[in-house]
Amino acid sequence: MPSAEPLPGRPAALRAPPAKPPRRQTPATVDYPESDGKPMAETPIHWHATVDFAHPLMDRYAARPDAYVGSDMLMYWEEGDKAKRVSPDVFVAFGPSKEPERRIWKVWEEGVAADFVLEVTSRSTRGRDEGFKAKLYERLGVTEYWQFDPTEDYLRPSLKGRRLGPDGAYEPIPLERRDGRLSGWSAVLDLELRPEGQALRLFDPALGEFLPTSGEKSRIIEAVKAERDAANVERDAEAAARRTAEARIAELERRLAEADE
């Protein structure tokens, strides 16, 4: 019996095609909303407290290109997840460029969440401000987290501050009495935070004065303008009187010259 011969090799056309490499998934484009549809503040009192705190900081750092002051801006901290967001009432971040202006804040692009955060708090936001936000800001490495309760709904005194300790956990910032007023020292801003009724003022001990609010700044500008206008009127009046006197002298000299003839 003839020995069995090996079967011929499988034609190339019938061989299984090589396995294709796994298809790379292209991340879906995420639309990060610019608004959460909620009002900026609980009441006009809280709104004014927020604005009057934010504007002096914007003026203070207006000439510093690596300081960004934001207010009521949506901050996203996890790329690709638009649900991971928070909206600090006021925040300051050192390091990111001031320009261009942002509509939202993306932590993974900026490289930092914030160095300073203030929440103008109330009874209705107490649970979130004391719980969720405190833990989140701590985890995101926000050096200082402050709360101000302008109507003292639950905070008495109305100011409360936390600062990251050596272990990365928040520690309370002690409050003091300065000039008979409650005061908290912000090492991040190098300023004192002083409650003044339903407002939270920023005091610069180096200059010995408060940072002016937008309203105070407008009044200062108007006063300077009025003083300048008054000085211009006085200068114009003096110039007119001088011209009149010079004209009278010229007329007298002309008459004297005619009399001598």
Side-chain angles (χ1 to χ4, degrees), residues 13-229:
L14 300 179
R15 291 176 184 161
K20 294 182 179 180
R23 186 175 181 180
R24 297 186 64 180
Q25 297 293 325
T26 302
T29 301
V30 177
D31 179 25
Y32 299 97
E34 299 173 2
S35 172
D36 56 8
K38 298 178 181 178
M40 177 179 172
E42 295 296 308
T43 67
I45 293 172
H46 294 76
W47 182 85
H48 283 293
T50 301
V51 171
D52 286 343
F53 189 86
H55 282 180
L57 288 175
M58 292 176 181
D59 290 338
R60 181 177 177 84
Y61 298 117
R64 182 168 169 174
D66 65 339
Y68 190 90
V69 180
S71 180
D72 196 39
M73 176 187 292
L74 284 178
M75 176 184 290
Y76 293 88
W77 71 84
E78 187 171 309
E79 186 175 8
D81 191 342
K82 60 184 179 182
K84 300 294 179 64
R85 69 191 187 192
V86 67
S87 181
D89 288 331
V90 183
F91 73 90
V92 182
F94 296 109
S97 173
K98 186 186 300 294
E99 301 294 340
E101 185 57 85
R102 284 78 153 169
R103 302 174 74 93
I104 58 175
W105 190 264
K106 299 176 182 178
V107 173
W108 60 92
E109 290 184 358
E110 306 293 350
V112 63
D115 296 285
F116 174 99
V117 165
L118 170 74
E119 295 290 357
V120 180
T121 190
S122 66
R123 185 181 292 111
S124 63
T125 64
R126 174 180 182 175
R128 186 170 173 82
D129 293 341
E130 290 282 348
F132 168 76
K133 288 188 177 181
K135 293 177 181 177
L136 175 64
Y137 294 146
E138 182 182 74
R139 182 162 63 86
L140 294 178
V142 176
T143 306
E144 288 183 358
Y145 171 41
W146 292 83
Q147 292 164 261
F148 175 59
D149 183 355
T151 55
E152 293 191 344
D153 278 353
Y154 72 94
L155 279 184
R156 297 181 179 83
S158 59
L159 183 64
K160 180 178 181 178
R162 300 173 172 92
R163 184 179 294 122
L164 288 179
D167 60 351
Y170 275 140
E171 298 175 352
I173 298 176
L175 303 179
E176 301 178 1
R177 289 279 175 184
R178 295 180 182 273
D179 303 327
R181 300 170 174 173
L182 185 68
S183 174
W185 174 253
S186 170
V188 170
L189 303 179
D190 204 25
L191 296 170
E192 291 179 19
L193 279 63
R194 293 187 179 183
E196 295 281 330
Q198 295 179 333
L200 182 61
R201 301 299 306 272
L202 289 158
F203 183 81
D204 187 347
L207 299 177
E209 61 186 32
F210 287 98
L211 271 60
T213 64
S214 57
E216 290 170 340
K217 184 179 178 182
S218 297
R219 288 192 289 273
I220 292 172
I221 292 174
E222 288 300 320
V224 170
K225 182 180 178 181
E227 185 176 344
R228 183 181 60 200
D229 291 345

